[in-house]
Amino acid sequence: FFITAKTLNQHCHFDTSTSRLGIMPKLALALAVLIVFISPTSSQIERAFDDDAAEDEGKLESEDKEDLALSRNPRDGRSLLWFGSRGTKTLPQQSFMEKKFEDPVCNDYKDVMVKQRAEKSYACGNCAGTWGSYWHSFMKGMGYRKSSFTDSSTLFHLVYTGTACIDNADNVSKRKGIRLCARVDELPIGFASKGSPEKMMKEYCKRHPSNCPLPVDSFVPKHFIASDQFGDPLSEAISKIEKAEISENKKRELFLNSDEGRRMQERMGRSNETLTSISTSAWILKALAGYASKGNEIVRSLSEALKVIKEKKLDSFLLQEYEMRPLLHQGRKISLRCFVVILSMKPLRVVYVDGPVFRAVKKYDGYGFDRLAHLTNAFFEAPQFKSQTAKLEEDTILDFSYLPAAVAASSGARKLGIGGKARDAANWVRDVLRPTIKSIAKTAVLALYEHANKDFIKNFEGMTGVPLCFDFMINDDLRVWFHEYNVGCGLRGSPSLPNQWRVDSFGNTLLLMEELHYRIQRGDVSTRLSDMCWSPFLTRDYTDLEILIDGEADV
């Protein structure tokens, strides 16, 4: 378009007396406009790359097809840098390869990296429609050729299912390669299961109080878990709920007989005969193997929760106290997600990445309990979902840059003296919210690691990378709640946002893993992530990637 516009300026004249274009310039301008409309958009180019990435595993399902934002990235093995950009700052693609490092190890690593990408390969199992498709796309872009798991040249082993990752461990260890898995057997993480590692976190914090700046009870809501792995046996979990139910009913009865309770009943036209229909609190019942809010149900009381559990014959579940005063953005409820990527377990190296901010489809309706107003990732239930997926994703999937506006309008902002000042709200997100989320995520990962199979980790000769996602809620008083961690969680993004978290979680982390692998094979396990060759290029000026755990000193 700009080339055509320049041509118009150089070769076509304006009739200044009539302020009109001549006939030929009009035709040229029409042609320029036509070119703009028929030319592929950046989104279309990126989706084409995504299709190309899935060619060996079969096409991704339309609901899972994601825009990987790879069109702006080089696709040859020599310059592959996916740093991303922040504002007007953009890191030159060739910066790393062109830089002459003072450290000779870094210069040697560059040579090894180029040679390795030309000679080594990767294997990808069960990748289509999963996180593996992202790894696959970035590997292909990095210049690695695709091969089989048994090929002696295979360095990266990308496996999505937990069983495949476990079965392939000996093969990876023998080749001293790198496996990337959604679930690994050496960590107490259930595949495709959500949970709260509250017990493990409390045990860890008793032994290591200096690593736990926040009391666990201050950010984990009341909950009950029926699970052999995460919580209590079913009968014991139900017994605990029944005991809590007695206390909740007494509390409700006291409330209904108070002046405030009577006023509420008058407004609602209800009486003490329907105690359970008026809530002083609410609960959300989640299926442990659920996703995208499928199977989740909001209930008004523990009595109602027990009824649902028995009617559905649930043998495992997570029942959490529900926050009725959530932080709102333009009147709609929002929740936060961050990604925590384990790069290596020997030594333990972990990075943090800001994730998406989810916004409910409808305005928040309090005790109306409309799913599209309460469940921020239930947009797939909206009537227009199948016909207007991109539009709905753009409307409901945001990023951290939207948080200051929500914070500034909250009750908590007024109490903290932030008021409606956007700059102060942005500072609160930077100086309070993000460090709080990082601290909680770090404690959770350290607790998981303490319960890991250390013998396996010690004897495993390769590296293991595991991405996890952590979900948070903020209430109107700006209190942060940690709701759950997941493996294999969804990766939907907005078609109008850069979705930098995808590039950081699945692209930039691979660059760090490559260098970590190089150093470990040289016998260097002491160099911290912050001192590695890649570190200056993966700063917060350009990415959302931050170091969370950097070796034994942090453990």
Side-chain angles (χ1 to χ4, degrees), residues 204-360:
Y204 175 82
C205 290
K206 281 183 181 179
R207 288 189 284 270
H208 310 279
S210 61
N211 279 350
C212 304
L214 300 172
V216 176
D217 288 333
S218 69
F219 56 78
V220 176
K222 294 178 185 177
H223 63 277
F224 305 90
I225 302 181
S227 167
D228 292 335
Q229 183 176 8
F230 294 116
D232 300 314
L234 179 63
S235 59
E236 189 175 334
I238 289 178
S239 177
K240 287 183 177 181
I241 296 172
E242 289 172 340
K243 289 179 182 178
E245 175 193 19
I246 295 172
S247 175
E248 183 182 74
N249 287 341
K250 287 180 178 179
K251 182 179 178 181
R252 182 181 294 105
E253 188 171 0
L254 287 171
F255 170 75
L256 291 172
N257 288 321
S258 68
D259 291 340
E260 184 182 353
R262 291 191 187 94
R263 286 193 295 271
M264 177 182 285
Q265 292 173 73
E266 289 173 3
R267 288 197 305 271
M268 300 178 70
R270 296 179 177 179
S271 66
N272 283 348
E273 295 176 1
T274 54
L275 290 178
T276 58
S277 64
I278 296 179
S279 301
T280 53
S281 62
W283 298 80
I284 182 166
L285 183 63
K286 304 178 181 181
L288 287 182
Y291 65 96
S293 292
K294 290 183 178 179
N296 291 0
E297 191 163 344
I298 303 172
V299 294
R300 297 173 183 271
S301 65
L302 289 174
S303 299
E304 188 177 340
L306 285 169
K307 182 180 177 181
V308 173
I309 290 168
K310 291 172 182 176
E311 286 178 350
K312 293 187 175 182
K313 299 180 180 179
L314 300 178
D315 55 8
S316 65
F317 56 81
L318 170 62
L319 179 63
Q320 272 181 334
E321 189 169 23
Y322 186 70
E323 175 59 68
M324 290 301 299
R325 297 178 60 251
L327 185 65
L328 305 178
H329 182 268
Q330 297 178 348
R332 292 149 70 183
K333 179 181 173 180
I334 58 175
S335 63
L336 321 179
R337 173 168 288 174
C338 74
F339 286 85
V340 172
V341 185
I342 298 173
L343 307 178
S344 162
M345 293 194 205
K346 187 178 65 177
L348 184 63
R349 312 284 197 195
V350 184
V351 294
Y352 163 93
V353 177
D354 286 345
V357 172
F358 298 113
R359 181 170 65 176

Side-chain angles (χ1 to χ4, degrees), residues 115-126:
K115 183 180 180 182
Q116 177 174 282
R117 290 178 180 179
E119 297 177 352
K120 295 291 185 179
S121 60
Y122 73 95
C124 193
N126 297 307

Side-chain angles (χ1 to χ4, degrees), residues 281-494:
S281 62
W283 298 80
I284 182 166
L285 183 63
K286 304 178 181 181
L288 287 182
Y291 65 96
S293 292
K294 290 183 178 179
N296 291 0
E297 191 163 344
I298 303 172
V299 294
R300 297 173 183 271
S301 65
L302 289 174
S303 299
E304 188 177 340
L306 285 169
K307 182 180 177 181
V308 173
I309 290 168
K310 291 172 182 176
E311 286 178 350
K312 293 187 175 182
K313 299 180 180 179
L314 300 178
D315 55 8
S316 65
F317 56 81
L318 170 62
L319 179 63
Q320 272 181 334
E321 189 169 23
Y322 186 70
E323 175 59 68
M324 290 301 299
R325 297 178 60 251
L327 185 65
L328 305 178
H329 182 268
Q330 297 178 348
R332 292 149 70 183
K333 179 181 173 180
I334 58 175
S335 63
L336 321 179
R337 173 168 288 174
C338 74
F339 286 85
V340 172
V341 185
I342 298 173
L343 307 178
S344 162
M345 293 194 205
K346 187 178 65 177
L348 184 63
R349 312 284 197 195
V350 184
V351 294
Y352 163 93
V353 177
D354 286 345
V357 172
F358 298 113
R359 181 170 65 176
V361 175
K362 294 183 178 180
K363 296 276 187 180
Y364 186 67
D365 66 349
Y367 286 100
F369 291 137
D370 184 326
R371 289 178 64 83
L372 293 179
H374 281 258
L375 303 178
T376 55
N377 60 343
F379 50 79
F380 69 93
E381 298 178 6
Q384 68 271 37
F385 175 71
K386 290 185 178 179
S387 60
Q388 301 180 40
T389 303
K391 184 177 180 181
L392 204 58
E393 288 176 341
E394 184 172 8
D395 183 58
T396 59
I397 303 178
L398 315 175
D399 60 24
F400 272 50
S401 66
Y402 286 76
L403 289 176
V407 169
S410 69
S411 298
R414 292 187 289 275
K415 293 175 183 177
L416 295 174
I418 296 174
K421 299 175 183 177
R423 179 176 295 179
D424 289 345
N427 290 341
W428 183 86
V429 171
R430 182 194 65 204
D431 300 333
V432 179
L433 177 61
R434 186 177 282 111
T436 298
I437 289 174
K438 287 178 61 181
S439 174
I440 294 170
K442 180 178 179 179
T443 300
V445 172
L446 289 173
L448 288 169
Y449 186 69
E450 188 169 73
H451 286 75
N453 183 337
K454 298 298 177 57
D455 288 337
F456 177 92
I457 294 173
K458 180 181 179 181
N459 295 323
F460 184 67
E461 293 297 321
M463 279 174 52
T464 300
V466 185
L468 304 171
C469 57
F470 287 71
D471 291 341
F472 296 86
M473 181 75 66
I474 307 174
N475 72 7
D476 191 50
D477 290 327
L478 300 184
R479 180 173 182 176
V480 178
W481 291 110
F482 169 39
H483 272 211
E484 62 191 39
Y485 68 88
N486 292 275
V487 295
C489 59
L491 298 173
R492 289 190 180 278
S494 169

